[in-house]
Amino acid sequence: MAITIKDIQLKTIRRSLKSPFKSVLQQVNEREVIIVTVTGDSGIYGYGECVAFETPWYTEETISSCYFVIKTVLVPLLTKKIIQRPEEVWELFQVVKGNRMAKAAVEMAVWDLFAKQQQQPLWKFVGGTSQPVPAGIVIAADHSRIKELVAQASKVGYQRIKIKIHPNIDLSMLKSIIRDYPRIQFFADANGSFHAGNFNRLKDFDDVGFTLIEQPFGEKEWVLHAQAKSELTTKICLDESISSLEDAQQMIDRKAGDIVVLKISRLGGWTETLKVVELCHNHSIGMWVGGMIEFGVSKAHNLALASLPDIHYTGDFSASTHFWKKDIIEPEIIVEYGKVRLSTQIGIGYAVSLNE
Ligand code: OSB
Ligand code: MG
């Protein structure tokens, strides 16, 4: 059923994190995102969340570049258009170069709108089947706190813990923690902190007990990642490197990784993400859904993605209360027995409330 796009509204929200998020790239204390509301001719509306950061430390976009691009370029492109399928938004936006996080925020809202129009939960609309979704948490704090934070996460029931690493982190400390929790899967995220000069140091991480090492080298370092994949037994997983279908194809062609972190925003929206899922499925590449310190609208989209039958690793799904005093969705996301139950309501499945 066709939808005429009637109106698109942007609302910026800004909240402090409960505690600083520290990685080799940046320390994040506060988070600003843009909530995009797209309204169709029937009066139904869908939500997207733009999750670029304040400065370009993770991707090239920033929250202010996204606001500018959405407002002055994408909104005029989409307003009054008649859309038959949400995939058409990707095609409409092809006249705009790059700016994938800006495009994704608007495109995701249109997917939510279509799911609502069809009276389906978004996760069913995109083909999801697996629920509840297993919950994973990220530890991005001072190393002196890792042990204590792992103990806390284990108590909550998280099934997977991702630890931010860098070349100088104490490996015997990590080994002993991982040994203490045999039922929890541990991922390591290096955020590109290794380089050709310390390649051998990466090999020291091979027997620490990690299920995978995420993004050891820089985003364009296909050769180093291929070397890592061939020389380590721990699986190599790419995050920053994968911002398009072409990047996923590169990874496969160059044998530069075993696993892909899916981020709808970094990939430019659902349409491109679903293509990456299909490609990875066809090449037996593992997948999981990554987080970017998001609020509930984005998390709801991520949860829908994680419910696809091809997603086999546990993603970055922590409870709303992990980062936020108060999330922007109701009910908030909760983790029970290490899992997040998906909403049976239509669309993203949550009400949005932007008041503090
Ligand atoms: O590298 O995966 C990353 C957060 C912001 C930017 C990049 C990354 C992250 C995380 C995920 O590690 C944190 C989360 O939202 O659970
Ligand atoms: Mg990462």
Side-chain angles (χ1 to χ4, degrees):
M1 205 192 311
I3 297 179
T4 306
I5 304 299
K6 252 183 60 187
D7 183 54
I8 305 168
Q9 292 294 327
L10 308 186
K11 179 113 198 318
T12 297
I13 62 157
R14 189 183 181 87
R15 302 274 160 85
S16 296
L17 273 69
K18 275 179 157 178
S19 54
F21 184 92
K22 296 181 185 178
S23 73
V24 284
L25 299 177
Q26 188 77 5
Q27 172 167 329
V28 181
N29 302 311
E30 285 188 311
R31 189 73 168 105
E32 185 173 303
V33 300
I34 306 163
I35 300 302
V36 180
T37 310
V38 176
T39 310
D41 46 343
S42 59
I44 297 176
Y45 43 87
Y47 292 109
E49 179 177 323
C50 183
V51 294
F53 290 93
E54 254 180 274
T55 59
W57 61 267
Y58 177 67
T59 63
E60 290 178 359
E61 295 174 80
T62 66
I63 201 68
S64 37
S65 76
C66 287
Y67 194 93
F68 171 78
V69 170
I70 296 173
K71 192 99 193 159
T72 60
V73 187
L74 303 179
V75 168
L77 266 178
L78 189 58
T79 306
K80 300 205 176 93
K81 291 287 186 317
I82 302 168
I83 307 286
Q84 313 280 342
R85 298 175 307 119
E87 288 89 346
E88 289 172 14
V89 177
W90 172 262
E91 287 152 34
L92 263 177
F93 288 172
Q94 281 314 290
V95 295
V96 178
K97 296 199 191 284
N99 291 286
R100 286 176 182 254
M101 299 176 99
K103 289 174 178 172
V106 180
E107 196 250 20
M108 288 159 86
V110 175
W111 280 79
D112 178 27
L113 176 57
F114 268 82
K116 282 172 176 156
Q117 179 100 342
Q118 310 248 316
Q119 299 279 314
Q120 271 187 38
L122 179 65
W123 63 275
K124 287 198 178 154
F125 182 71
V126 297
T129 52
S130 336
Q131 91 115 341
V133 166
I137 201 166
V138 181
I139 293 180
D142 289 331
H143 292 149
S144 57
R145 299 196 57 212
I146 294 179
K147 200 178 161 126
E148 159 208 347
L149 292 172
V150 168
Q152 270 178 27
S154 154
K155 251 189 220 131
V156 178
Y158 284 104
Q159 309 194 2
R160 186 227 73 178
I161 297 175
K162 175 169 121 180
I163 299 176
K164 293 287 194 183
I165 60 156
H166 59 75
N168 300 322
I169 195 168
D170 176 356
L171 294 184
S172 57
M173 177 258 302
L174 293 178
K175 253 184 225 176
S176 91
I177 293 174
I178 292 174
R179 218 179 295 125
D180 286 345
Y181 297 91
R183 289 210 306 277
I184 295 178
Q185 253 189 356
F186 286 88
F187 293 2
D189 188 358
N191 284 114
S193 55
F194 289 81
H195 50 86
N198 59 16
F199 186 89
N200 284 330
R201 175 62 178 163
L202 181 64
K203 288 180 159 176
D204 296 340
F205 285 70
D206 212 10
D207 63 355
V208 172
F210 289 114
T211 302
L212 59 86
I213 301 175
E214 181 182 339
Q215 200 69 39
F217 302 105
E219 52 188 86
K220 298 289 174 225
E221 300 285 10
W222 303 109
V223 174
L224 285 171
H225 283 125
Q227 192 185 341
K229 174 170 154 56
S230 79
E231 293 188 27
L232 275 75
T233 52
T234 309
K235 290 192 160 71
I236 300 300
C237 169
L238 297 186
D239 175 11
E240 285 91 324
S241 293
I242 311 295
S243 355
S244 64
L245 180 65
E246 293 74 22
D247 289 336
Q249 187 66 57
Q250 280 276 359
M251 185 196 96
I252 293 164
D253 293 346
R254 292 170 174 260
K255 300 187 174 25
D258 307 284
I259 299 172
V260 161
V261 185
L262 300 168
K263 289 186 179 168
I264 305 174
S265 177
R266 197 195 51 222
L267 286 164
W270 271 105
T271 306
E272 183 86 337
T273 302
L274 293 174
K275 287 183 195 160
V276 172
V277 170
E278 191 187 353
L279 178 73
C280 290
H281 168 84
N282 291 338
H283 289 83
S284 303
I285 296 293
M287 289 174 266
W288 53 279
V289 178
M292 291 166 57
I293 320 175
E294 293 130 304
F295 293 96
V297 168
S298 194
K299 282 289 171 204
H301 282 273
N302 293 350
L303 284 165
L305 176 59
S307 80
L308 293 182
D310 294 325
I311 312 295
H312 297 306
Y313 290 92
T314 301
D316 294 335
F317 291 110
S318 44
S320 289
T321 52
H322 175 61
F323 289 125
W324 317 118
K325 224 161 52 203
K326 187 173 170 290
D327 203 337
I328 61 169
I329 54 164
E330 284 167 8
E332 297 204 331
I333 291 168
I334 53 169
V335 172
E336 289 172 308
Y337 306 105
K339 293 187 163 111
V340 180
R341 209 174 312 143
L342 299 190
S343 172
T344 52
Q345 308 281 309
I346 60 172
I348 59 169
Y350 298 89
V352 175
S353 137
L354 301 179
N355 307 319
E356 292 218 30

